[in-house]
Amino acid sequence: MSAVVARLLRPATQRTYEKVFGLAYVALGANALLTAGCAPLLLALAVVRDPVASWPFFVVLSGCCAPALAGVFGCFAALDGGLVWRPFTDAYRRAAGRALVAWYGGAALLVVLVVDVVVVSRTAWGPAVVPLFATAAVLVVGTVVAVLVAASTGTDRLRDLVWPCLCLVARRWYLALANAVVLGLAAAAVLLQPVAGLLVACAPLLYAVYANTRVLLAGRAR
């Protein structure tokens, strides 16, 4: 017993400290770069009093988040190197075009789903089909995230990514559902506590999404 206690109380090695500080550096750097990439949307949210009333404008403006998220996923892919700027910018440039198309395509589908939910919820049979729309929304979000992760480290064409990602998301729906929940937590953290959400909470939550998506995409190479 004393040997176990002594082992637990033994100081960590220098390599352990270096790894911990390296992870903290990458997390803080990724948060800062994500904040810079999403600055137009964040500034508009801070200025506009009623964002819901101007939702089409914010849907369009939200596109700036797509390449920034791909850049953050690029940082996570190069996590062992302890670098931030170069992996972020490389992934940002590599994935920007495909990320924007995937983002706006997913946003358009989500708008249609939300409108449909609003319409059918007023009918007698509406509550019965709402779960169907919710499932479709999870599939859309999961597919867009999977495309962003794949595009951040690869050069495949978008049309070669969407269908395989959709199939894998449908097969491993539980991972897509977990990603949707974590992304919701990240968005809530940013909206409720912008500074803490952007500079502290985003990186751990997004890394959970990245790790889940990497597991989800593992079947793509088979």
Side-chain angles (χ1 to χ4, degrees):
M1 183 66 179
S2 60
V4 174
V5 173
R7 191 179 302 113
L8 292 175
L9 295 178
R10 184 175 57 189
T13 63
Q14 181 179 354
R15 184 176 182 181
T16 301
Y17 285 118
E18 290 176 352
K19 189 171 184 178
V20 171
F21 284 113
L23 292 175
Y25 170 74
V26 172
L28 292 174
N31 282 338
L33 291 172
L34 177 65
T35 302
C38 300
L41 176 63
L42 298 173
L43 180 61
L45 286 172
V47 172
V48 177
R49 292 185 177 180
D50 188 8
V52 177
S54 306
W55 65 265
F57 168 74
F58 283 98
V59 169
V60 174
L61 196 58
S62 69
C64 65
C65 298
L69 283 173
V72 171
F73 293 146
C75 292
F76 294 154
L79 192 60
D80 292 338
L83 301 176
V84 180
W85 175 256
R86 185 63 181 270
F88 181 90
T89 54
D90 287 347
Y92 191 104
R93 288 194 298 264
R94 184 186 303 115
R98 292 170 294 167
L100 284 171
V101 174
W103 184 277
Y104 283 128
L109 291 174
L110 288 177
V111 168
V112 172
L113 290 172
V114 170
V115 172
D116 288 344
V117 167
V118 172
V119 172
V120 301
S121 63
R122 300 172 182 173
T123 64
W125 46 269
V129 297
V130 168
L132 176 63
F133 291 115
T135 302
V138 170
L139 291 177
V140 170
V141 172
T143 302
V144 171
V145 171
V147 169
L148 292 181
V149 172
S152 67
T153 56
T155 58
D156 294 340
R157 294 176 297 180
L158 183 61
R159 65 182 182 182
D160 296 330
L161 290 176
V162 174
W163 179 249
C165 287
L166 176 59
C167 293
L168 290 171
V169 166
R171 183 185 305 171
R172 299 180 176 178
W173 57 269
Y174 48 92
L175 294 177
L177 179 60
N179 283 347
V181 172
V182 174
L183 288 172
L185 291 175
V190 171
L191 292 175
L192 294 176
Q193 295 290 337
V195 176
L198 288 169
L199 299 181
V200 179
C202 271
L205 293 174
L206 289 178
Y207 184 79
V209 172
Y210 170 79
N212 276 344
T213 307
R214 293 297 297 176
V215 174
L216 187 150
L217 292 175
R220 184 166 162 259
R222 298 173 185 171

